[in-house]
């Protein structure tokens, strides 16, 4: 945990956002794998971590906007259980670490919520994503679990985002630790990018590096020769010479801050000419995006600038044609790059995703764009110092998408489909760094994972 | 998956158990970590795997006892999604792998269940352990999610146990694969049992070996210098010379069969005289248990025989006293071994735990024992060929338990508390193998993980 003043200050800041009533912030419970007592690694809810810091199951927190008081609810371990569990810290001692003196057994949260409701006070809560907490909220509030998310508090959502989106210096330090583990993971994966290796063996090995570092992976690892399949969690293939291995993976720090890197390595360690040409374009798009990112600039404009670098490069190779700016305006680049440039990152790898992309990545000024490709950009609004964002351009050759666009003549003025079809078996390249917006620009967080073709080839060669 | 006839035959066997109506067997859904789309590794429900084999989310199966038909419900991937997910196998093709021709979109399961209920037919289901499936059953059956478990079908529970408890030869082969990965995990942990190493680094590294083998760990790893804390998932300590490191860990095979081994290694690789004396007693208890296990014998009697070996050994060391058989009869050994000798193992590491220990481990003849220690024995009934069981005696020095018993004079005729108090900082030893009951006896599954003090010391020394 951070120092207790961290959590007190965050709750204090939340109380300045003009809300009344109470905010009920539920911790997570254990998540069963294949029977009740066989559980996954415990992952605390990120909002609970942010305001209360305590990293174990069975807790709920309340912030009272009217009285200014804070509460933590949870159960102390039974004296009999100490035989099995060893000496335990009391809830009161734990709560003190979060700067809280008001504690009570978990069941008391029902009384406090009921009293608030009976008094006609508003009970704010954030949208639950685990069914256990949906059922708990049903019990607490009398609102059906099936429809509970529609009753989440938009005022609380916006207040929480306004705090969590700007990272404290100590949060950036935690992200740096996650990045250091991510660095090790990616270098290990590169070294294993050899013909005959099983994708799952590599993915499992680097997940082990995350776990040995003390955290989990920050999201399910993507590691595949089919980098063009964007939603790909299959690791069943055996690596083949001449293909590319795309690896998108990150770790959590001990305090559950994320890292998220992507690197693409030629199986066997040597880029072909064709691979290197595309690779250099994606790398240029990545470097351009970091160079352009600074306070006051919209990340939507950075996204579009990166797309222009991509389109210009593909035009030089004869894969695209016509005016580059017009091509990007028409979304022609999106056949090669159908996703967004990046997303906020913090306690969640897609930070605060379940609070709503529309509130996290956009605002009243910068609105989401309704065009294939840019529509998937998770983060578009103006950058501020303290934002942590991923920068992850890519270039993919997706046969189903190529066929669809060619058949329907989509953007045929900007794409040379004949040439594109020579790349059908290419796969995909993505290059992702995590960047911090500073007062004057942006910096890559932590030591940059090897990224130039020469660096990548050297890592594999060193083995 | 196994061959499709495997699943057809299992469902056919289920239909011979005298049930009427339909059995509704739900697959698992994705389990969110910190937001809806950031999920844990998918773990299919074990009963669904047993009868339907398909290992992906969003499925439900129905076995119709009256018509003899089988159904699988699930949704095919949308054509648009193929752009993101790559080419997909249809539900019909997947269902065929399980020997099933009746498939329908997931929503149709509501129609079929409603039709069965309207016709006054019984809808059997097994007790759900994930809140998502409790909510789904509430929706399907109109029974509150909060109380759904009390409506699970005892007839179906007993029928499923009668099938799953006897392992097919191909299931034993899968368990062997899980054991081979478990072997690697334990040898790796032993090699890292050196002063200055962080417990979490070792636990994470060996979890990585499980993942690199293609499965997950079969349960959350226990790895600690505080082996006497039985419910211990803390890995925060730095290993110290002179202490013991207890490691209880296993892997899943690709088809989700479990292994489960425990070894105890002296930090630095050399047993002290005191450690070796206790270690040899636990090892003798373990070897005795395997030697005594055979068809027709109750595992309760094997448990008690292992306890007698323990008590006799502790008497030789002056820690216990009096008549050994009387001591065990009175449960005096349970201060040192408060848990049971073992449990069934298969698709779950505690096989079928949520179907109920009373049905899995006991029957009308062999009933659970209500005495501290033996009460925690998960498996007591007569052994049959094809049973797979863990054999895991231990010896622990639990300060809180020692103090309680000494203060209350519990079993003071059998325990030399003065001597016991010399071992307060000892920690705990557990030695666990997985055994298969054969026609004539029992055999350890797979190559036995190094277990004699000499073998353990040699592994650490080799490094």
């Amino acid at each position: 945990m951070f120092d207790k003043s961290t959590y007190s200050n965050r709750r204090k800041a939340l109380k300045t956002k003009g809300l009344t009533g109470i905010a009920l912030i539920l911790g997570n419970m254990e998540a069963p794998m294949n029977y009740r007592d066989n559980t996954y690694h415990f992952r605390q809810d990120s909002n609970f971590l942010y305001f209360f810091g305590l990293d174990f199951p069975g807790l709920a927190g309340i912030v009272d906007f009217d009285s200014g008081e804070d509460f933590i609810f949870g159960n102390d371990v039974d004296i009999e259980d100490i035989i099995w569990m060893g000496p335990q810290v009391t809830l009161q001692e734990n709560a003190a670490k979060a700067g809280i003196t008001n504690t009570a057994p978990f069941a008391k949260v029902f009384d406090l919520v009921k009293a608030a409701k009976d008094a006609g006070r508003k009970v704010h809560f954030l949208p639950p994503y685990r069914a256990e907490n949906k059922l708990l909220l049903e019990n607490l509030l009398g609102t059906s679990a099936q429809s509970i998310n529609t009753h989440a508090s938009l005022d609380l959502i916006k207040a929480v985002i306004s705090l969590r989106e700007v990272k404290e210096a100590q949060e950036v330090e935690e992200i740096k630790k996650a990045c250091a583990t991510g660095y090790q993971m990616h270098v290990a994966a590169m070294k294993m990018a050899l013909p005959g290796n099983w994708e799952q063996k590599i993915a499992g090995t680097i997940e082990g590096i995350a776990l040995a570092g003390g955290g989990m992976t920050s999201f399910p690892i993507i590691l595949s020769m089919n980098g063009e399949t964007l939603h790909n969690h299959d690791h069943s293939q055996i690596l083949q010479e001449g293909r590319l291995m795309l690896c998108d993976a990150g770790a959590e720090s001990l305090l559950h801050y994320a890292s998220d890197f992507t690197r693409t390595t030629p199986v066997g360690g040597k880029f072909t000419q064709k691979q290197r040409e595309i690779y250099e374009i994606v790398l240029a798009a990545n470097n351009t995006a970091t160079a352009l990112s600074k306070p006051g600039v919209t990340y939507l404009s950075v996204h579009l600038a990166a797309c222009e670098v991509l389109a210009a490069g593909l035009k030089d190779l004869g894969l695209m044609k016509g005016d580059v700016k017009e091509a990007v305006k028409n979304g022609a680049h999106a056949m090669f790059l159908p996703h967004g440039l990046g997303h906020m990152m913090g306690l969640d790898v897609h930070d605060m995703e379940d609070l709503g992309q529309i509130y996290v990545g956009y605002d009243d000024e910068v609105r989401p764009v309704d065009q294939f490709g840019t529509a998937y950009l998770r983060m578009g609004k103006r950058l501020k110092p303290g934002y942590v964002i991923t920068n992850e351009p890519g270039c993919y050759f997706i046969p189903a998408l190529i066929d669809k666009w060619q058949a329907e003549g989509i953007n045929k003025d900007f794409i040379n489909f004949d040439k594109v079809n020579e790349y059908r078996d290419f796969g995909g390249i993505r290059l992702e760094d995590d960047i911090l917006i500073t007062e004057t620009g942006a910096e890559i967080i932590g030591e940059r994972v090897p990224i130039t073709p020469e660096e990548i080839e050297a890592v594999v060669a060193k083995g």
Side-chain angles (χ1 to χ4, degrees), chain A:
Chain A
M1 285 178 71
F2 294 124
D3 184 84
K4 66 180 177 180
S5 64
T6 297
Y7 305 101
S8 299
N9 289 338
R10 289 171 180 175
R11 293 190 304 270
K12 208 175 288 175
L14 186 64
K15 289 170 198 160
T16 68
K17 299 288 179 179
L19 284 81
T20 59
I22 63 172
L24 169 64
I25 297 179
L26 297 178
N28 278 334
M29 303 186 212
E30 294 280 14
M33 290 193 290
N34 50 333
Y35 52 90
R36 197 195 62 190
D37 288 346
N38 205 33
T39 55
Y40 287 107
H41 290 298
F42 177 68
R43 178 54 161 82
Q44 184 58 291
D45 175 72
S46 297
N47 293 303
F48 190 89
L49 280 176
Y50 187 79
F51 290 109
F52 298 97
L54 300 177
D55 192 11
F56 54 90
L59 300 174
I62 282 185
V63 174
D64 190 322
F65 296 116
D66 305 328
S67 76
E69 286 180 301
D70 304 313
F71 301 83
I72 285 187
F73 301 87
N75 296 328
D76 275 314
V77 165
D78 197 283
I79 186 75
E80 287 297 304
D81 292 339
I82 290 174
I83 290 170
W84 310 103
M85 301 174 71
Q88 297 290 310
V89 176
T90 65
L91 180 66
Q92 195 140 31
E93 290 170 286
N94 275 317
K97 298 177 198 162
I100 288 182
T101 51
N102 297 316
T103 64
F106 193 83
K108 291 283 177 196
V109 74
F110 285 85
D111 301 343
L112 205 147
V113 168
K114 188 172 180 306
K117 282 182 64 184
D118 289 350
R121 299 170 68 203
K122 170 96 179 151
V123 179
H124 302 267
F125 63 91
L126 298 168
Y129 48 90
R130 290 192 180 188
E132 286 82 358
N133 277 345
K134 291 182 188 180
L135 278 170
L136 179 59
L137 285 168
E138 174 179 287
N139 253 352
L140 278 163
L141 302 169
T143 307
S144 153
Q146 318 272 357
S147 66
I148 195 82
N149 286 59
T150 60
H151 296 87
S153 162
L154 185 54
D155 289 337
L156 183 59
I157 285 173
K158 288 184 173 176
V160 169
I161 290 172
S162 72
L163 295 174
R164 281 183 58 187
E165 69 180 4
V166 178
K167 270 63 184 176
E168 305 156 356
Q170 61 186 357
E171 293 185 284
V172 174
E173 287 307 306
E174 277 297 309
I175 293 172
K176 252 183 210 163
K177 291 177 196 167
C179 287
T181 306
Y183 185 103
Q184 288 179 50
M185 293 164 71
H186 278 275
V187 167
M190 287 172 193
K191 289 179 179 174
M192 293 178 79
L194 301 171
N197 264 349
W198 183 31
E199 291 169 349
Q200 175 58 37
K201 186 178 173 187
I202 308 173
T205 299
I206 69 173
E207 181 160 351
I209 293 172
L211 292 159
M216 313 195 297
T217 59
S218 51
F219 59 94
I221 290 169
I222 295 171
L223 188 146
S224 176
M225 288 192 296
N226 291 106
E228 81 284 4
T229 307
L230 299 180
H231 295 181
N232 192 353
H233 293 102
D234 178 84
H235 306 139
S236 65
Q237 297 185 93
I238 304 295
L239 296 188
Q240 294 173 338
E241 186 86 45
R243 300 284 301 275
L244 293 165
M245 180 186 85
L246 186 149
C247 176
D248 188 347
E252 285 195 351
S253 73
L254 283 174
L255 300 190
H256 300 288
Y257 285 83
S259 64
D260 181 4
F261 298 134
T262 309
R263 288 295 182 267
T264 309
T265 306
V267 177
K270 283 282 166 203
F271 286 94
T272 65
Q273 179 64 20
K274 212 168 170 182
Q275 287 168 346
R276 183 184 279 257
E277 285 167 355
I278 301 288
Y279 190 97
E280 294 282 14
I281 295 169
V282 178
L283 180 54
N286 171 299
N287 287 333
T288 299
T290 300
L292 291 176
S293 295
K294 62 178 178 184
V297 164
T298 71
Y299 210 52
L300 174 59
S301 71
V302 179
H303 165 84
L304 293 172
C307 293
E308 285 179 14
V309 172
L310 177 72
L314 294 176
K315 185 180 170 185
D316 288 346
L317 290 180
L319 288 153
M320 292 186 73
K321 60 188 177 186
D323 182 74
V324 165
K325 281 191 185 296
E326 275 303 304
V328 170
K329 206 171 160 189
N330 283 277
H333 64 282
M335 193 181 81
F336 305 95
L337 173 54
H339 64 70
L341 182 64
H343 48 81
M344 287 231 187
M345 193 184 79
L347 278 165
D348 306 307
V349 62
H350 290 174
D351 211 23
M352 305 174 275
E353 177 163 297
D354 276 7
L355 299 186
Q357 175 181 307
I358 190 85
Y359 309 117
V360 174
Y362 294 88
D363 55 21
D364 291 341
E365 179 207 356
V366 185
R367 305 302 301 164
V369 174
D370 184 26
Q371 182 189 62
F372 179 82
T374 304
Y376 300 108
L377 178 63
R378 286 190 163 86
M379 169 69 195
K381 67 188 179 185
R382 280 191 202 282
L383 301 175
K384 289 185 193 166
Y387 278 11
V388 170
I389 315 168
T390 65
N391 166 12
E392 47 180 311
C395 183
Y396 314 92
F397 294 85
I398 306 168
L401 187 57
I402 295 168
D403 291 344
K404 182 181 153 77
W405 280 35
Q406 186 165 21
E408 298 177 18
I410 298 172
N411 279 309
K412 62 180 171 7
D413 295 341
F414 300 109
I415 297 172
N416 285 319
F417 285 101
D418 288 350
K419 182 76 178 173
V420 167
N421 275 300
E422 295 171 16
Y423 286 73
R424 289 181 76 88
D425 300 329
F426 184 92
I429 289 170
R430 180 163 62 253
L431 297 173
E432 178 181 23
D433 296 319
D434 303 330
I435 62 174
L436 168 70
I437 306 303
T438 63
E439 293 296 330
T440 54
E443 62 185 37
I444 291 171
I445 303 177
E447 189 181 353
R448 196 179 197 188
V449 179
I451 194 163
T452 68
E454 295 70 27
E455 287 168 350
I456 302 266
E457 291 182 348
V459 170
V460 184
K462 217 176 134 196

